[in-house]
Amino acid sequence: MYTIIQSFKPGKISPNDANRLSFELAMRFIKGQHQFVMSPHTDKAYIHTHIKFNSINLDCNVKFWNVKNSAFVLHWINDELCQEGGTIIENPSGRGMGGHPIRDVRQ
């Protein structure tokens, strides 16, 4: 099982839009090949979503390969989604990504 945490800058996105962006992030990152569950949270000053996905694909024949650059791929997909959705990314090459960091990928 792997976990992705996607956080959004306070006041910049609605819970529904955050949920939509997190779903798209998961689908693009795992290419629809793995089961996943999303848990959006609005209990803090910022909206964030926990995405957990299965390490084995839907056909049960391939394991997700968590390569060294997985975090960079997540950042790139996230930036692309935020630009498509009209969310302003103040520093797309920086760690903060305009308040939309993906904080970790771990097993």
Side-chain angles (χ1 to χ4, degrees), residues 1-6 22 25-26 29-30 33-39 49-57 62-71 74 102-107:
M1 182 80 54
Y2 290 90
T3 300
I4 301 168
I5 300 174
Q6 184 182 34
S22 296
L25 175 68
F29 183 65
I30 59 178
Q33 298 298 312
H34 299 262
Q35 293 175 321
F36 68 94
V37 64
M38 294 179 2
S39 178
T49 303
H50 296 250
I51 304 166
K52 293 189 176 263
F53 66 95
N54 197 343
S55 59
I56 303 297
N57 73 344
V62 176
K63 185 175 181 193
F64 177 78
W65 191 255
N66 189 20
V67 297
K68 181 179 178 181
N69 294 335
S70 291
L74 281 169
I102 297 158
R103 294 189 293 196
D104 58 19
V105 176
R106 61 179 177 257
Q107 186 173 17

Side-chain angles (χ1 to χ4, degrees), residues 12-103:
K12 295 292 184 183
I13 194 166
S14 72
N16 286 339
D17 286 341
N19 195 45
R20 181 182 51 78
L21 283 174
S22 296
F23 178 82
E24 281 298 317
L25 175 68
M27 288 299 288
R28 288 189 191 185
F29 183 65
I30 59 178
K31 300 177 177 111
Q33 298 298 312
H34 299 262
Q35 293 175 321
F36 68 94
V37 64
M38 294 179 2
S39 178
H41 296 270
T42 58
D43 60 334
K44 300 198 186 250
Y46 59 93
I47 296 170
H48 64 285
T49 303
H50 296 250
I51 304 166
K52 293 189 176 263
F53 66 95
N54 197 343
S55 59
I56 303 297
N57 73 344
L58 294 170
D59 294 330
C60 298
N61 61 0
V62 176
K63 185 175 181 193
F64 177 78
W65 191 255
N66 189 20
V67 297
K68 181 179 178 181
N69 294 335
S70 291
F72 294 111
V73 172
L74 281 169
H75 284 263
W76 182 82
I77 294 170
N78 187 65
D79 284 353
E80 187 177 71
L81 285 169
C82 289
Q83 287 172 345
E84 288 172 9
T87 303
I88 297 170
I89 299 176
E90 297 163 5
N91 185 8
S93 62
R95 179 182 170 134
M97 295 188 312
H100 301 278
I102 297 158
R103 294 189 293 196

